[in-house]
Amino acid sequence: MSQLENISTPPVITIDGPAGSGKGTIAKQVAQQLGWHILDSGALYRLTALAALQSNIAIDDIATLSHIAENLDVVFKPDSIYLEGKEVTLAIRQEACGNIASKIAAIAEVRAALLQRQRNFQQAPGLIADGRDMGTVVFPNASTKIYLTATVEERAKRRLNQLKQNKISASLPHLIKEIQTRDARDMNRQSAPLKAADDALIIDSSDMSIEQVVKSVLQVCQ
Ligand code: DC
């Protein structure tokens, strides 16, 4: 990147990590504290999955899935998400939707269709980008890269609490299995697999509070 480009481009902090590692919560709080924009890239894959489900599109219909991803009519509001004018904030959080999102996220054409839409979020004064490939593929020049992780058991417990808050029922053993399957799929796919960027700081949040993680991220940015 040239020096001029560096000066005029709004800064990006990327937060990548596996399912349930708390990226969303941390990204939100860091964005609030800094007054920066936020990109929930997982929501874009979930929205593509929901749109495909609603239109009965097969998981191997790559052309139609890519078309859906490229043309998503989505509005992000501070606490809600709209797909084609309909609120889908809770619908996209269902585990079924997350699992299909993980499957279609392995399709290179779908990832390519969502790439520019994600980069468009890079606006002043800055962006916190949450996902799986934010630091490796979407924003390789990000000023700060974090890889947030935690044990599978801890992540499943957090997911259970999150789902309970949203009045969605689930069982812990079932969630552990689902998270393990999703981790394996996200980490082993050929296109933009989940991994820490070489220059990312790895934070294991298993024994940390949300406040402690937010503090660590803010310290790294400074
Ligand atoms: O973060 P999440 O659980 O909302 O993401 C749902 C799925 O989307 C996840 O299993 C993998 C995929 N995803 C991805 O491949 N790349 C991203 N940057 C974000 C999410």
Side-chain angles (χ1 to χ4, degrees):
M1 186 188 285
S2 74
Q3 232 178 354
L4 192 66
E5 210 181 335
N6 218 347
I7 292 165
S8 60
T9 311
V12 182
I13 297 170
T14 59
I15 306 182
D16 289 304
S21 59
K23 302 179 306 282
T25 308
I26 303 301
K28 223 176 186 176
Q29 296 211 4
V30 173
Q32 263 167 7
Q33 297 226 15
L34 296 174
W36 287 11
H37 300 281
I38 190 159
L39 164 61
D40 173 2
S41 62
L44 291 173
Y45 290 93
R46 286 172 181 267
L47 286 158
T48 306
L50 184 64
L53 267 172
Q54 286 173 344
S55 305
N56 278 323
I57 307 302
I59 209 94
D60 57 358
D61 185 352
I62 295 176
T64 309
L65 290 173
S66 310
H67 181 80
I68 288 176
E70 188 147 16
N71 295 287
L72 277 178
D73 170 11
V74 51
V75 175
F76 285 97
K77 295 195 176 173
D79 288 310
S80 50
I81 302 178
Y82 292 78
L83 178 65
E84 283 163 14
K86 248 183 88 187
E87 193 184 345
V88 293
T89 319
L90 289 185
I92 62 163
R93 297 296 154 203
Q94 299 275 351
E95 286 306 293
C97 203
N99 281 327
I100 295 180
S102 168
K103 285 181 188 158
I104 62 171
I107 303 170
E109 290 84 345
V110 169
R111 304 197 73 81
L114 290 174
L115 189 60
Q116 193 53 47
R117 189 190 285 263
Q118 294 174 83
R119 290 187 172 149
N120 291 344
F121 278 76
Q122 186 173 5
Q123 286 178 21
L127 175 70
I128 312 294
D130 148 12
R132 302 289 192 291
D133 61 341
M134 298 294 98
T136 50
V137 176
V138 182
F139 302 107
N141 295 322
S143 43
T144 304
K145 298 181 186 178
I146 307 286
Y147 186 84
L148 190 61
T149 187
T151 62
V152 163
E153 291 74 18
E154 183 57 35
R155 290 188 280 130
K157 275 188 213 158
R158 292 176 189 171
R159 194 65 122 190
L160 188 66
N161 285 337
Q162 209 176 35
L163 291 171
K164 268 188 190 160
Q165 275 170 16
N166 289 336
K167 299 191 170 48
I168 300 170
S169 63
S171 85
L172 191 62
H174 179 72
L175 278 179
I176 289 178
K177 248 194 178 154
E178 277 201 345
I179 285 183
Q180 282 169 330
T181 308
R182 190 121 70 92
D183 281 357
R185 199 184 297 123
D186 292 346
M187 287 172 177
N188 296 320
R189 67 183 177 220
Q190 291 214 321
S191 181
L194 166 65
K195 63 173 180 188
D198 291 340
D199 49 350
L201 173 79
I202 298 175
I203 299 179
D204 185 331
S205 71
S206 304
D207 297 316
M208 291 170 81
S209 66
I210 292 173
E211 293 72 27
Q212 284 172 322
V213 180
V214 170
K215 207 171 154 196
S216 308
V217 174
L218 289 171
Q219 267 167 0
V220 181
C221 309
Q222 279 154 12

